[in-house]
Amino acid sequence: MRKILSIDGGGIKGVFPASFLTTIEDSIGDRVSNYFDLIVGTSTGGIIALGLGLGLPAKDILSFYEEKGSAIFKGNKLFRGVIQLFSPKYNVPLLRNALETIFKQDLSLGESTTRLVIPSFNLDTGEVHVYKTAHHQRFERDYKENVVDIALATSAAPAYFKTHFTSKGIPLIDGGIYANNPVGLSVVEAIGVLGWEKESLKVLSIGCTTEPLNVSSKKKGCCYWGLKSADVFLTAQSSLSLGTAKLLAGHENIIRISPQVFPGRFKIDFIKGMKSLKGLGDSEARKAMPLLHHIFFDKTANDFVPFYKL
């Protein structure tokens, strides 16, 4: 059996998957990263994936959100709406400083003990830019990349944070542009790149909560669609990604955890919702654990042996 963990993007809503995984670790008495052959995460999910791959317990990642969330999403509340019309909403140095408290400044992707896939997007070429550990002989470069830079690239959400430029000058933005729910990407990586048999796959896909799509089917103008297009885009992408994963790996092999909440309950930068997200993560983990335990946590994964080492 090959086990995959996929974690969605969602800003501060990453508290939900971090809390969910913390409760799982408390139940099994071990780190969840020891039980997965591949971990894929986008944006806030990419930060969580990087932390897990580098051996951090989920509780430390949860503490990162609780302790640094307010600093990351800090701004002038009175003028924030006006500022966002002309520049990104939040300050990248604050995000970098926060990331450097959880990841050492000199950590590289090659120090991960688990296969990782972290999506981003290249603005110059219009092509996907996916960071990967050296789990295939073609992947000769990414394992040398700095973890903080990868985290900044995958989480550079348009309108929220500035474009992240790599040391080589590549302009990268949030992987959520095409893979906010990366479960489809994770299965494609497993079958198409790693050559794993689809019958051997078990996939745990964790979202950052789900809201029902609330869009009018009546004729509407550009102002309406300007406000609603992101919701439609993210819902459509997630549906396609989940459908792709189920088609390739089999419906019965994909477990999706992303509780539905009422519209507007949580937002990417709504730090006041962190306590509720933490409680929801714990509650959902308690409900899911009887099913998840015998599928994912009865036996640890085989050791990851990369093709290239630092």
Side-chain angles (χ1 to χ4, degrees):
M1 182 185 296
R2 296 288 191 172
K3 295 174 290 185
I4 302 171
L5 175 61
S6 171
I7 310 172
D8 286 18
I12 201 64
K13 293 189 292 182
V15 168
F16 172 77
S19 175
F20 184 94
L21 294 171
T22 296
T23 300
I24 294 295
E25 289 192 342
D26 185 60
S27 297
I28 64 176
D30 197 1
R31 296 177 184 175
V32 293
S33 57
N34 293 332
Y35 293 82
F36 289 95
D37 300 282
L38 172 66
I39 301 178
V40 182
T42 301
S43 195
T44 198
I47 293 172
I48 296 172
L50 287 165
L52 295 175
L54 292 166
L56 294 176
K59 67 178 182 179
D60 287 0
I61 301 172
L62 177 59
S63 294
F64 163 75
Y65 283 96
E66 293 180 302
E67 295 170 6
K68 302 298 181 180
S70 297
I72 294 170
F73 295 106
K74 181 180 180 180
N76 189 317
K77 294 181 180 180
L78 182 61
F79 299 107
R80 187 179 293 166
V82 176
I83 291 171
Q84 195 175 12
L85 291 174
F86 304 99
S87 63
K89 196 172 183 180
Y90 297 108
N91 194 326
V92 170
L94 293 176
L95 175 57
R96 176 181 283 277
N97 290 341
L99 289 169
E100 288 176 350
T101 66
I102 189 171
F103 302 128
K104 295 178 182 178
Q105 294 185 36
D106 58 350
L107 277 178
S108 300
L109 186 62
E111 295 178 66
S112 174
T113 58
T114 307
R115 298 171 187 85
L116 296 179
V117 171
I118 312 293
S120 189
F121 184 79
N122 187 328
L123 283 181
D124 270 348
T125 64
E127 297 175 332
V128 301
H129 188 104
V130 187
Y131 287 101
K132 301 180 183 183
T133 49
H135 53 259
H136 191 282
Q137 60 185 12
R138 297 202 315 269
F139 306 153
E140 302 176 1
R141 296 181 58 85
D142 288 355
Y143 74 97
K144 302 176 184 177
E145 295 292 333
N146 180 268
V147 167
V148 171
D149 284 328
I150 295 173
L152 288 170
T154 191
S155 61
Y160 288 91
F161 294 104
K162 290 195 304 184
T163 299
H164 177 71
F165 285 84
T166 70
S167 60
K168 303 296 191 298
I170 302 172
L172 299 177
I173 61 171
D174 197 319
I177 290 295
Y178 65 96
N180 197 60
N181 174 353
V183 66
L185 182 67
S186 72
V187 174
V188 168
E189 186 76 13
I191 296 174
V193 176
L194 291 164
W196 295 345
E197 296 292 333
K198 68 176 185 178
E199 294 82 5
S200 72
L201 301 181
K202 294 293 181 183
V203 185
L204 175 58
S205 170
I206 307 178
C208 292
T209 73
T210 301
E211 296 181 8
L213 185 62
N214 182 22
V215 177
S216 173
S217 59
K218 297 179 181 180
K219 293 181 179 180
K220 297 288 184 178
C222 60
C223 291
Y224 177 83
W225 283 108
L227 295 172
K228 292 291 187 177
S229 58
D231 292 340
V232 175
F233 166 76
L234 290 173
T235 301
Q237 185 275 319
S238 182
S239 177
L240 175 62
S241 183
L242 187 58
T244 299
K246 289 180 176 181
L247 179 65
L248 293 177
H251 287 237
E252 69 282 1
N253 294 323
I254 310 294
I255 296 177
R256 174 73 171 166
I257 305 289
S258 190
Q260 189 169 92
V261 298
F262 62 81
R265 178 68 179 92
F266 303 112
K267 296 180 181 179
I268 287 176
D269 55 352
F270 184 54
I271 58 175
K272 291 183 178 179
M274 286 194 292
K275 185 175 181 180
S276 295
L277 285 163
K278 180 179 179 180
L280 187 59
D282 178 69
S283 174
E284 291 297 312
R286 288 179 68 252
K287 289 191 296 184
M289 194 56 197
L291 171 64
L292 300 182
H293 197 287
H294 77 275
I295 297 176
F296 295 100
F297 303 112
D298 272 350
K299 184 180 179 181
T300 57
N302 292 331
D303 291 340
F304 166 45
V305 180
F307 280 85
Y308 310 102
K309 296 183 179 181
L310 295 168

